[in-house]
Amino acid sequence: AAIWQATAIVEMRNFPSQETFQTAAAMLNSDDPLLRMAAVRALGFLSPQQLYGLLQQHLNDPSAAVRMEIARALAALPMEQLDNASATALRAIYDEYLRNLGDNADMPETQVQLGTFFSERQFWQPAEIAYQHALQLNPQDLTALLNLADLYRTLQREEEARELLLQAVAIAPEQGMPYHALGLLETRAGNRELALGYLGDAAERES
């Protein structure tokens, strides 16, 4: 069944190799859009430039779902590296992606997707707004908290990142990821003992 094949293909991205590359690249030409979409995801271990080289000819895929997956996968591609025609084609599927997400803008998951897309494109203010909107819709959305904290880290807004990560720990004390992020933050801040404590908490919860 296609759904099982697609699941297996997506899992291959956890084992990047020449075989993974060849298998997923071949599946980009499958007749089944589910398999083509899975192939795009499986190739996520490639750099944006390498991925664009493979996906450029698929920007007009007949399946909207595949085009949306391509838009997400190529969000980090530096547009200045493209010629005008290529940049125009890529912007077209970016715009389509944003229109599709806009249809479900009242869902926190959609706002997280928007935030991730804008972060990949280094559009920091729209990304921050999207993550904040996600948290307004669901204050306990762990992914939104962690992603917004990471955005603040990127922008060197460490205190705001720390506050969000402490909220994440309070919401999900059984999960290791918030502790790990806090440990890295305190490491960067030079708070060695505090960092080791958080990293130990993370390891204990993930073991």
Side-chain angles (χ1 to χ4, degrees):
I3 185 64
W4 295 113
Q5 293 182 58
T7 300
I9 292 169
V10 171
E11 286 300 313
M12 290 176 67
R13 67 183 173 185
N14 296 317
F15 306 96
S17 65
Q18 186 65 23
E19 182 180 1
T20 297
F21 172 81
Q22 291 174 343
T23 302
M27 282 296 171
L28 289 173
N29 297 309
S30 169
D31 292 333
D32 193 318
L34 187 63
L35 295 181
R36 297 199 302 275
M37 187 164 60
V40 175
R41 292 182 184 177
L43 290 166
F45 63 90
L46 298 175
S47 71
Q49 292 82 357
Q50 291 172 320
L51 195 54
Y52 180 73
L54 281 175
L55 298 181
Q56 182 179 10
Q57 60 182 316
H58 299 280
L59 297 183
N60 294 318
D61 191 284
S63 167
V66 176
R67 294 196 302 275
M68 297 306 91
E69 194 63 37
I70 291 173
R72 183 202 59 75
L74 293 178
L77 183 70
M79 298 291 284
E80 63 273 11
Q81 296 182 2
L82 305 179
D83 58 51
N84 289 337
S86 299
T88 298
L90 191 55
R91 286 193 186 95
I93 68 166
Y94 285 165
D95 290 344
E96 183 183 13
Y97 179 81
L98 293 174
R99 286 195 303 272
N100 274 270
L101 290 183
D103 292 338
N104 297 292
D106 58 343
M107 299 176 62
E109 298 85 0
T110 300
Q111 293 299 323
V112 170
Q113 286 179 281
L114 280 169
T116 301
F117 178 77
F118 287 132
S119 291
E120 290 285 348
R121 299 204 64 197
Q122 298 185 11
F123 293 171
W124 307 124
Q125 186 174 18
E128 180 181 8
I129 291 171
Y131 289 139
Q132 288 176 340
H133 192 183
L135 291 170
Q136 290 170 359
L137 294 168
N138 179 10
Q140 296 193 331
D141 190 313
L142 189 62
T143 302
L145 281 169
L146 294 176
N147 285 10
L148 182 54
D150 190 58
L151 174 62
Y152 286 156
R153 176 197 60 78
T154 300
L155 299 177
Q156 298 183 338
R157 294 162 62 178
E158 299 286 349
E159 286 302 320
E160 292 168 278
R162 181 181 287 106
E163 180 180 343
L164 290 173
L165 292 175
L166 289 172
Q167 289 181 39
V169 165
I171 289 169
E174 75 288 351
Q175 295 197 26
M177 191 175 298
Y179 291 97
H180 184 259
L182 267 170
L184 295 180
L185 184 148
E186 298 300 350
T187 298
R188 291 189 298 272
N191 301 323
R192 183 174 181 276
E193 293 301 322
L194 195 55
L196 289 175
Y198 283 134
L199 293 174
D201 289 336
E204 179 180 339
R205 284 157 177 78
E206 295 297 326
S207 60

